[in-house]
Amino acid sequence: MITVIGSMNMDLVTITNREPAIGETVLGENFLTVPGGKGANQAVAAAKLGAPVKMIGCVGDDLFGEQYINHLKGHQIDIKHIRRLKNEKTGIASITVWNNDNKIIVVPGANKRITPEIVESHREEILKSSWLLLQFEIPLESVERALEIAAEGNVNVIVNPAPYHDIPEKWLGKITYITPNEAEANQLFSAFANRENLLSKLVITKGKDGAEYFDQGERVSIPALKVDAIDTTGAGDTFTGALAVALSEGLPLKESCQFAVKAAGLSVTKLGAQAGMPSRSDLNK
Ligand code: RIB
């Protein structure tokens, strides 16, 4: 079982050919409201590839919350551990897509109310997992509690450090892999005194340049799939979800990265964070 503790956002996506300057109004091309959030994106990526997935997190008691839970159910994700919080809003992300790239502002809403106590109340679920996926769209003290519980049961953990925050050195021993993008990896390098220890945990996503990790200090590059990118939102989440699936099936790191790079490559060929995430048969084509 892959367990994700993390965010669920409704993504409010505007597609434009040109970004407005400050104080300027431009006409956009399209608008869509679609499920997103780094936590749920990773959960859906893994579930679409056929893994059993459990989502732990919070939504509000608004329409977005109800829609989100139904959406995850539709992907056969275990939603028993998602709380609907009274008088709270579901998280949203305001996303502008232009030029095959994006800018994102997240308003966390219910996601910021995933407390360490809520995480603690799911101790048994965490300990039953083979892999646990964590990101930084929930409070850091809750991420820390999840890591402590996982470490007690030797549960494998992937931390996706986004949005960026330094990773305390004391966390490193409890993490199996860290999946930053290039900018986040550079920030991590500057923050760490003991880079050797960090290096062995890193699997860096590099967009159209694929991914890389370090084998005993030697850089291993995994080339990207050649695709026409339409929307790169959620590509890193697809990578992390797919990486967990491959590792949970016992593939070595190199093959797992190849699997994840392919999944992430396919994911950018459709609009919306989750729409392009491949199924197992898409991946095997
Ligand atoms: O990683 C992409 C995600 O970041 C979007 O789906 C958005 O919700 C933000 O959390």
Side-chain angles (χ1 to χ4, degrees):
M1 174 68 73
I2 294 174
T3 298
V4 180
I5 305 181
S7 57
M8 286 161 272
N9 296 331
M10 205 48 96
D11 287 354
L12 312 176
V13 188
T14 302
I15 294 98
T16 179
N17 286 332
R18 188 163 77 79
E19 245 214 322
I22 289 175
E24 187 192 15
T25 302
V26 298
L27 296 181
E29 300 300 309
N30 199 357
F31 175 80
L32 53 157
T33 304
V34 287
K38 296 183 196 303
N41 287 347
Q42 293 173 19
V44 170
K48 276 190 158 184
L49 290 166
V53 179
K54 183 177 299 168
M55 181 79 206
I56 297 176
C58 297
V59 294
D61 57 356
D62 50 4
L63 186 60
F64 283 166
E66 186 184 326
Q67 288 173 337
Y68 216 114
I69 290 178
N70 288 332
H71 167 71
L72 295 180
K73 251 196 240 170
H75 283 294
Q76 278 71 51
I77 292 173
D78 179 346
I79 46 97
K80 283 196 296 291
H81 307 280
I82 298 176
R83 294 196 188 182
R84 286 198 76 188
L85 302 179
K86 282 213 162 43
N87 303 317
E88 185 55 276
K89 290 177 186 157
T90 299
I92 66 101
S94 170
I95 303 182
T96 309
V97 175
W98 88 107
N99 240 351
N100 296 336
D101 224 323
N102 61 54
K103 279 190 176 173
I104 305 180
I105 299 174
V106 171
V107 183
N111 297 309
K112 69 174 182 297
R113 290 184 50 195
I114 304 175
T115 58
E117 292 68 36
I118 290 185
V119 171
E120 187 63 47
S121 72
H122 294 104
R123 165 176 287 273
E124 291 312 310
E125 305 306 322
I126 296 170
L127 291 173
K128 276 191 274 180
S129 314
S130 58
W131 284 84
L132 174 68
L133 307 189
L134 300 166
Q135 323 73 30
F136 292 168
E137 283 186 333
I138 63 170
L140 287 179
E141 55 273 25
S142 304
V143 173
E144 181 162 57
R145 182 63 63 86
L147 277 173
E148 285 163 1
I149 297 170
E152 283 172 31
N154 292 320
V155 175
N156 298 296
V157 183
I158 301 180
V159 171
N160 174 227
Y164 182 78
H165 193 282
D166 288 350
I167 293 183
E169 296 229 28
K170 64 174 179 182
W171 287 13
L172 265 196
K174 302 183 173 73
I175 300 175
T176 317
Y177 295 115
I178 305 171
T179 55
N181 62 22
E182 282 179 287
E184 291 152 0
N186 287 336
Q187 286 171 288
L188 281 174
F189 277 131
S190 333
F192 264 82
N194 181 354
R195 293 196 182 149
E196 247 169 65
N197 206 1
L198 172 70
L199 215 57
S200 64
K201 311 260 168 184
L202 285 183
V203 180
I204 304 171
T205 56
K206 301 183 72 177
K208 60 180 174 22
D209 294 323
E212 70 185 23
Y213 65 94
F214 298 86
D215 185 358
Q216 298 182 352
E218 292 292 313
R219 187 189 305 268
V220 180
S221 294
I222 310 293
L225 202 64
K226 297 259 174 291
V227 290
D228 287 328
I230 290 184
D231 180 5
T232 58
T233 311
D237 299 327
T238 308
F239 180 91
T240 296
L243 184 70
V245 173
L247 291 167
S248 70
E249 291 176 5
L251 287 186
L253 183 57
K254 186 168 187 184
E255 284 74 11
S256 296
C257 285
Q258 287 163 341
F259 180 90
V261 158
K262 191 169 180 194
L266 291 171
S267 77
V268 304
T269 58
K270 290 196 184 137
L271 257 185
Q274 297 176 11
M277 290 173 176
S279 65
R280 187 57 76 106
S281 61
D282 294 331
L283 207 65
N284 292 337
K285 274 180 198 158

